[in-house]
Amino acid sequence: MSLLTKYFPQLTPQQIKQFALLETEFKAWNAQINLVARTDTDNLVERHILHSLGIAKVVQFPAGSAVLDVGTGGGLPGLPLAIMFPEVKFHLVDSIGKKIKAVQFMAGALGLSNVTAEQTRAEQVREKFDFVVSRAVARLATFHPWILHSYKKHPAPGAGLYYLKGGDLTEEIAESGLVARVVDLPEFFEEAFFETKKVVVVPV
C-alpha cells in the first residue's frame, strides 16, 4: 500500500484498509474468473488500482455527485474511486454477468455502501449522472455515443467523461470529432508503467 500512500498521503486508515482488502479480494476472484491478465496480479496495485486512481489526480468528484463506470470488468476504475470518494455515488455496469457478481461481492466485502453494480450496457442505463469513467473499452468515436444520454440536465462542475487510455491518441480524438483534453499520467506518477498512460477528458 506504500505506493498508494506515496501519491495519496491524505488516505485515512480506513481507506488504506479497504485498498488492502480490495487487493486480496481481487486476486481471489481473479484466480476464479480472470478479471485481468494473470501476469498483472503481481503488479495489481500499480497497474490497476493506482492506474484507476489516475482519474482522482485529474478531477475531484464533489460530495453528493454520481459517477457511472462503463465496462467496469472487475470493478476498475469504479471500486478504487469509490474508496477514494466515499461521499460520491458510483454505479458500475458491465455486460458480463460473472464479472458484475464479483464486483457486487467485492463492494459488499469492502463495505462500500456508495456502490451499485448491474449487468447491462451503458445505452440501457436510464439513471442520470454527473460523471462517466471508463478504462479503454473502445475507441472514443464508438464509446462516446453510448454515454451521450447518461448526463444529468444540470450536472456538477467539471462534469463529463474521464477516460483512461494509452498511446498516441491524436488520430483517435480527431476521428471522434470531440473537443477533448488529454492529461498525461506521468505528470503525477513516476513508474515506467505510466509513461504512455493518459486520462482523456471530454466535458459534457
Side-chain angles (χ1 to χ4, degrees):
M1 291 299 109
S2 58
L3 193 59
L4 297 184
T5 51
K6 172 182 168 182
Y7 292 114
F8 296 95
Q10 75 278 22
L11 289 174
T12 65
Q14 163 76 352
Q15 286 171 316
I16 292 166
K17 201 166 123 190
Q18 286 175 311
F19 279 122
L21 187 55
L22 174 60
E23 184 185 12
T24 305
E25 291 288 343
F26 198 99
K27 284 179 174 175
W29 278 99
N30 204 56
Q32 293 175 53
I33 60 171
N34 223 16
L35 301 171
V36 298
R38 296 277 160 94
T39 49
D40 268 9
T41 47
D42 292 341
N43 298 304
L44 190 71
V45 174
E46 177 185 297
R47 295 186 180 180
H48 297 284
I49 298 177
L50 187 61
H51 185 214
S52 296
L53 294 176
I55 291 172
K57 288 291 189 188
V58 180
V59 61
Q60 290 290 302
F61 301 126
S65 60
V67 179
L68 175 66
D69 176 6
V70 176
T72 190
L76 302 165
L79 290 178
L81 290 170
I83 295 172
M84 185 63 78
F85 298 100
E87 305 294 317
V88 174
K89 185 171 170 281
F90 289 84
H91 188 55
L92 281 52
V93 301
D94 199 280
S95 58
I96 299 170
K98 62 184 179 181
K99 290 186 175 180
I100 284 297
K101 274 203 174 65
V103 169
Q104 288 168 336
F105 187 93
M106 285 189 280
L110 294 166
L112 292 174
S113 55
N114 59 333
V115 171
T116 50
E118 180 186 10
Q119 181 188 357
T120 187
R121 297 186 180 280
E123 310 94 301
Q124 296 167 323
V125 177
R126 291 285 154 257
E127 213 180 321
K128 302 298 177 199
F129 301 86
D130 300 285
F131 304 92
V132 177
V133 298
S134 189
R135 244 181 31 144
V137 170
R139 285 177 78 84
L140 267 171
T142 305
F143 182 86
H144 200 256
W146 298 345
I147 60 158
L148 273 176
H149 73 285
S150 300
Y151 296 109
K152 293 176 182 176
K153 208 171 250 172
H154 303 291
L161 169 66
Y162 292 79
Y163 203 25
L164 290 159
K165 296 282 277 183
D168 183 355
L169 302 172
T170 318
E171 185 202 331
E172 184 174 336
I173 290 169
E175 170 198 44
S176 73
L178 296 165
V179 177
R181 174 166 67 93
V182 178
V183 182
D184 295 315
L185 286 180
E187 281 184 37
F188 310 105
F189 305 139
E190 62 188 21
E191 285 70 25
F193 171 76
F194 294 103
E195 261 168 40
T196 60
K197 300 288 186 282
K198 300 167 171 63
V199 178
V200 180
V201 183
V202 183
V204 173

